[in-house]
Amino acid sequence: MINMFYLENPKEIKASFREKKDFPSVVLFDFFEKDIFRLVEKEIFKLSFYREKKPMFHSYASANLPNVLRKIFSSPEFTGFITKVIGKKFTRFRAQIYSFSARDYTLLNDSHKETAGIDIIFDFTEVWDSSSGGQITYVNGTGDALKLPIKQNSLMIVRRQKNVQRFVKYVNHTARKKRRHFLMMSVG
């Protein structure tokens, strides 16, 4: 299911995750084997997304995690791997699948502050021009930022420390009809 290279090297991935002091994080490209990724991708394209728009907070579409994907992302192989990387066992998580298109965004807002925890993001987005926006960005209030890459079949793990907040950059008109899809799982 998971790329064998990652399964065989969890200690190195954990070290990479922990070495970044401001934003402990790791990005793993080609995370799932191709056959599993195709199954996951097929499920994403079946979903019905619901538009959500609160101008002072966000504009996007979202969908609940279907059972097929819940089984994959809560499988012993996946949860065991994540546990080795973050050094903390988890059994429960909140998960939502997001779809961003032109004019979608999330904003930082003082009335909604993230608590410390772990974000696990899986990217389904096909070829994407970064000049269209849509990057998930973490900020810590001191001017430092972590911008995550947009690449299909990538897994990103980010530890949200105290005062770290995230947003999705405004998706501009150059995205045209393209959509940015990702799964966001929050632990802790």
Side-chain angles (χ1 to χ4, degrees):
M1 183 166 88
I2 296 174
N3 182 325
M4 194 55 69
F5 177 80
Y6 297 137
L7 289 176
E8 292 172 351
N9 295 287
K11 287 180 183 175
E12 291 81 355
I13 296 167
K14 182 177 184 175
S16 178
F17 175 71
R18 290 189 167 189
E19 76 182 13
K20 301 169 185 93
K21 297 300 178 204
D22 288 341
F23 300 98
S25 60
V26 67
V27 177
L28 306 172
F29 297 111
D30 298 319
F31 182 73
F32 284 124
E33 294 172 338
K34 288 184 193 284
D35 58 331
I36 295 296
F37 176 72
R38 294 295 164 225
L39 171 73
V40 169
E41 184 180 48
K42 184 177 158 188
E43 289 299 315
I44 292 299
F45 291 120
K46 287 184 195 175
L47 291 175
S48 295
F49 287 90
Y50 299 95
R51 294 277 326 140
E52 296 181 38
K53 187 169 187 177
K54 293 182 180 178
M56 294 301 293
F57 297 96
H58 62 256
S59 173
Y60 53 70
S62 67
N64 291 324
L65 193 63
N67 287 336
V68 171
L69 295 183
R70 185 164 294 281
K71 285 179 185 175
I72 291 171
F73 287 102
S74 61
S75 70
E77 183 176 318
F78 183 80
T79 58
F81 174 77
I82 298 297
T83 296
K84 288 177 186 173
V85 172
I86 66 175
K88 175 184 175 185
K89 186 173 183 177
F90 78 96
T91 52
R92 298 210 271 129
F93 57 85
R94 291 183 321 273
Q96 196 76 18
I97 298 175
Y98 294 94
S99 177
F100 282 73
S101 56
R103 294 191 226 143
D104 284 340
Y105 58 90
T106 64
L107 295 175
L108 297 177
N109 190 308
D110 287 339
S111 66
H112 175 73
K113 295 209 177 217
E114 296 285 341
T115 57
I118 303 282
D119 287 341
I120 301 165
I121 303 154
F122 186 79
D123 202 330
F124 301 100
T125 309
E126 292 188 53
V127 177
W128 187 265
D129 182 351
S130 62
S131 68
S132 296
Q135 294 87 355
I136 300 170
T137 303
Y138 288 80
V139 295
N140 63 8
T142 65
D144 295 327
L146 169 68
K147 293 180 183 180
L148 299 179
I150 300 172
K151 185 164 179 5
Q152 190 177 51
N153 194 13
S154 294
L155 184 83
M156 291 142 282
I157 306 170
V158 180
R159 182 181 312 257
R160 283 186 329 279
Q161 299 182 67
K162 186 179 179 186
N163 297 323
V164 170
Q165 303 294 307
R166 71 168 178 263
F167 67 92
V168 177
K169 186 176 178 182
Y170 178 81
V171 178
N172 63 46
H173 71 284
T174 63
R176 301 184 190 213
K177 302 268 184 210
K178 289 185 177 181
R179 295 192 172 277
R180 166 121 170 73
H181 294 104
F182 58 89
L183 164 69
M184 174 76 70
M185 297 170 61
S186 294
V187 178

